[in-house]
Amino acid sequence: MALALRCFRHLPSLLYRSSVATIRGLLQAPAGCPALLLDGCRQCVHQMLLTRQLATKKAKGKGQSQARVNISAALVEDIINLEETNEDMQAVVEALKEDFSRNLSVRTSPGALDHLIVVTKDGKFPLNQLGQISQKSPQLIIVNMTNFPESTAAATKAIRESGMNLNPEADGTIIRVPIPKITREHRESLAKLAKQSTNKSKEALRKVRSKSISQVKKFKSKVSEDTIWLLEKQIQQMADSTAAEMDKLLAAKTKELLG
């Protein structure tokens, strides 16, 4: 009991230096504290720091900005790789940017047709792997399907159902794609597609978040409840930040499309 009380007396000074000491691993046993109790001291300090963060969060009043949770990756590397989670979320954003750039342009260009997926009896292929795409005039795109004539009908269908307001016409192995005039209706249609693409990306983002939180929950029996709560909160904040980035992309694209 005397030894425990002696250790407890040194907790205030330990807390004062805890953030630096914990990270650098420089925490030393207080005078009179047996070496066997040192690990216990470290665990107490770390636990009290997490509890303090949790209490600070809960103490925030309504209408006040909430402090961001930011747990050191080194402290939780055995539980989850937060950098990898962030990379997965950013990959979803990059895919959305690519989709906007490739498929949602007011003016249809040959490049917009390159990666349209064509469903054939042999599998799914990008259109540019099956046919040669070129622009005959500002109002007409030509798709030459000579190398894969059996896929002409499937390619025509893929172009028609692309959502780009195109009405292709097949003539043998040649597909003619008239480029529609830029109407208000066409612009609004593209804006709706941008919204749909963003919603799909947010669904992919939710899957990344759920997968990460499930990984954290596997350690419920090994770490404190506060540690689990803080990790879940940080992952949610990462997801919220990424979703906000998507909303900004959508707003900018919508403005571009509607003029």
Side-chain angles (χ1 to χ4, degrees):
M1 177 63 76
L3 288 176
L5 288 174
R6 202 174 306 153
C7 259
F8 185 78
R9 268 204 311 270
H10 291 278
L11 277 178
S13 61
L14 284 174
L15 286 173
Y16 179 76
R17 297 169 295 155
S18 56
S19 56
V20 175
T22 303
I23 294 173
R24 296 180 180 176
L26 299 177
L27 190 60
Q28 300 296 322
C33 179
L36 290 176
L37 293 179
L38 178 55
D39 288 337
C41 286
R42 284 180 177 145
Q43 292 172 9
C44 287
V45 170
H46 179 56
Q47 181 62 41
M48 292 182 72
L49 281 174
L50 292 174
T51 304
R52 178 182 292 181
Q53 286 181 277
L54 179 60
T56 300
K57 165 63 183 67
K58 289 181 177 179
K60 292 288 184 180
K62 292 183 178 179
Q64 292 180 316
S65 59
Q66 296 181 355
R68 290 187 63 81
V69 175
N70 189 15
I71 302 176
S72 169
L75 293 176
V76 296
E77 60 184 2
D78 292 334
I79 302 175
I80 188 171
N81 188 329
L82 291 175
E83 290 183 3
E84 186 176 298
T85 297
N86 184 59
E87 289 173 0
D88 290 344
M89 291 183 178
Q90 286 304 308
V92 177
V93 175
E94 292 304 316
L96 179 61
K97 289 180 180 178
E98 186 176 353
D99 182 49
F100 279 0
S101 176
R102 180 186 296 167
N103 302 320
L104 296 175
S105 175
V106 174
R107 296 185 179 278
T108 304
S109 65
L113 303 182
D114 283 350
H115 300 282
L116 282 182
I117 299 300
V118 180
V119 181
T120 72
K121 63 180 180 179
D122 296 318
K124 298 179 180 180
F125 302 93
L127 180 58
N128 63 355
Q129 290 185 12
L130 301 175
Q132 297 177 340
I133 307 171
S134 60
Q135 189 147 8
K136 186 74 173 178
S137 72
Q139 289 78 38
L140 182 66
I141 293 176
I142 297 295
V143 182
N144 189 332
M145 299 293 295
T146 301
N147 292 332
F148 296 93
E150 70 280 3
S151 299
T152 301
T156 303
K157 180 181 179 183
I159 296 170
R160 183 175 292 112
E161 297 178 353
S162 66
M164 290 188 283
N165 194 33
L166 301 175
N167 188 25
E169 300 173 355
D171 182 9
T173 57
I174 300 298
I175 303 174
R176 292 182 171 82
V177 187
I179 300 175
K181 292 181 179 180
I182 303 174
T183 63
R184 185 68 182 177
E185 181 180 2
H186 179 48
R187 289 176 179 273
E188 290 175 351
S189 176
L190 290 175
K192 288 181 180 178
L193 287 175
K195 177 72 172 178
Q196 292 174 8
S197 294
T198 303
N199 288 338
K200 288 180 181 179
S201 295
K202 285 186 176 180
E203 179 59 33
L205 174 63
R206 283 191 286 270
K207 289 181 180 178
V208 173
R209 180 202 62 192
S210 297
K211 178 182 177 182
S212 298
I213 290 179
S214 295
Q215 173 67 21
V216 169
K217 287 183 176 179
K218 291 179 181 179
F219 289 81
K220 271 191 172 182
S221 61
K222 300 180 181 179
V223 298
S224 72
E225 181 181 343
D226 287 348
T227 301
I228 296 295
W229 187 92
L230 287 167
L231 275 171
E232 290 179 354
K233 191 64 178 177
Q234 181 159 345
I235 292 169
Q236 182 61 54
Q237 287 176 343
M238 292 165 62
D240 290 343
S241 178
T242 306
E245 188 176 352
M246 290 181 183
D247 287 336
K248 289 180 180 179
L249 289 173
L250 174 61
K253 192 65 180 180
T254 300
K255 183 178 180 180
E256 173 193 327
L257 293 172
L258 298 180

